[in-house]
Amino acid sequence: MENIDPLEALRWSVEMGADEAIGEQPVNRYAVSEPITASVPVSAKLSEPKVQSMERAPLAPSQGIADSLAAAAAASNLEELRNAIAAFEGCALKQTATNLVFADGNPEADVMILGEAPGAEEDRRGVPFVGASGQLMDRMLAAIGLDRTTAYISNILFWRPPGNRNPTTAEVAACMPFVQRHIALVRPRVLVFVGGASAKAMLDRKEGIMRLRGKWYEYGGQGLPEPIPALATFHPAYLLRSPGQKRAAWHDLLLLRSRLDELR
Ligand code: URA
């Protein structure tokens, strides 16, 4: 058998999303510990369910949403909102994340950018968009004269999904009241939704980012006196994988720049 370079194998695992150690010892999941019998008696199948040894079992999704709605509504400023999110137990992602990732940049800025979810670096530092895609985001902003003093940046999820997997509908729904309250408290003049997950969730649309990007929408979420113009565009992580799309992203950035110029 061909020798496998352990470093290459590790690099491959990280690329596949297995970038966290979750136990002290490796587990051979191919080893069958007990013989599998086809005829398990019905009485055994229906026995008492085993109680999982979790410190805090996640709430049922609908309870999570009810809790986040109430907690979000009670927050009257950004600090209270951050504290309410930190105390929220209705999103299971919190249990595997290292840090809550709330926001970065200037909450007084004209533009608020919403990405999808923190990645590994964001999770480590508790700051959104500081990994490879964040660095590209900074360069994109700089190209139209913006930076983190003139933009405010957050995500539709406040905790990293394990292994950077896609967030589930239930996770997005549980966090949505906080995201809507976040927007209502910041009240930016322009919103930018980066990536399909953010654009679809915030605009309540089914189309993918290819169709949604490069156009202006009206975001009329909870708690706003009037809708806010919102632009959908590609996620920088996608642009890193598909640099051929940078031309389209540049078109979107120019749309944003001219909208901001009109506000002056
Ligand atoms: N991708 C996101 O959508 N958000 C981050 O904060 C980092 C990467």
Side-chain angles (χ1 to χ4, degrees):
M1 198 173 93
E2 201 185 320
N3 277 347
I4 297 173
D5 175 4
L7 196 57
E8 268 310 303
L10 188 61
R11 210 170 276 134
W12 181 84
S13 305
V14 171
E15 274 171 21
M16 293 299 112
D19 57 356
E20 297 284 332
I22 57 169
E24 294 296 321
Q25 298 296 328
V27 178
N28 181 1
R29 300 200 186 277
Y30 293 101
V32 180
S33 51
E34 284 167 18
I36 301 167
T37 50
S39 57
V40 179
V42 173
S43 58
K45 284 190 199 154
L46 296 179
S47 63
E48 282 288 293
K50 290 209 178 71
V51 177
Q52 289 197 341
S53 63
M54 265 185 174
E55 266 179 34
R56 272 185 308 237
L59 301 176
S62 56
Q63 182 60 46
I65 296 168
D67 286 359
S68 58
L69 269 171
S76 56
N77 57 47
L78 292 179
E79 196 189 340
E80 285 178 13
L81 182 67
R82 192 188 189 290
N83 292 340
I85 298 168
F88 180 57
E89 300 295 345
C91 179
L93 295 178
K94 183 182 178 181
Q95 291 170 12
T96 46
T98 307
N99 279 303
L100 160 67
V101 178
F102 181 57
D104 194 27
N106 181 359
E108 305 286 321
D110 285 339
V111 54
M112 179 172 184
I113 299 169
L114 280 175
E116 178 179 333
E121 190 59 21
E122 289 78 16
D123 181 49
R124 244 188 299 281
R125 292 172 50 185
V127 181
F129 282 105
V130 287
S133 60
Q135 285 159 21
L136 177 56
M137 160 104 84
D138 285 344
R139 292 201 296 280
M140 290 162 70
L141 292 177
I144 53 164
L146 296 176
D147 59 22
R148 293 185 189 220
T149 67
T150 48
Y152 185 64
I153 301 173
S154 186
N155 284 303
I156 60 164
L157 286 156
F158 301 98
W159 298 276
R160 179 195 184 204
N164 295 346
R165 65 157 169 75
N166 289 334
T168 66
T169 311
E171 289 158 356
V172 173
C175 292
M176 188 52 74
F178 291 123
V179 178
Q180 292 186 337
R181 188 77 186 130
H182 203 174
I183 295 171
L185 288 171
V186 171
R187 252 216 261 159
R189 301 186 70 189
V190 170
L191 280 160
V192 181
F193 303 137
V194 296
S198 170
K200 287 201 280 191
M202 299 313 299
L203 297 170
D204 195 16
R205 299 280 288 247
K206 298 236 179 309
E207 303 97 303
I209 191 66
M210 289 291 177
R211 283 190 183 274
L212 294 174
R213 62 146 285 274
K215 295 180 208 135
W216 287 100
Y217 302 85
E218 300 263 281
Y219 169 81
Q222 284 277 317
L224 289 171
E226 56 189 34
I228 298 175
L231 179 68
T233 190
F234 287 131
H235 194 288
Y238 171 70
L239 296 174
L240 287 172
R241 294 193 303 271
S242 310
Q245 296 286 8
K246 284 187 181 170
R247 186 188 168 94
W250 176 238
H251 165 270
D252 301 349
L253 285 170
L254 292 178
L255 283 181
L256 173 61
R257 183 66 263 170
S258 51
R259 192 71 176 230
L260 292 172
D261 289 343
E262 282 165 25
L263 298 174
R264 291 237 165 108

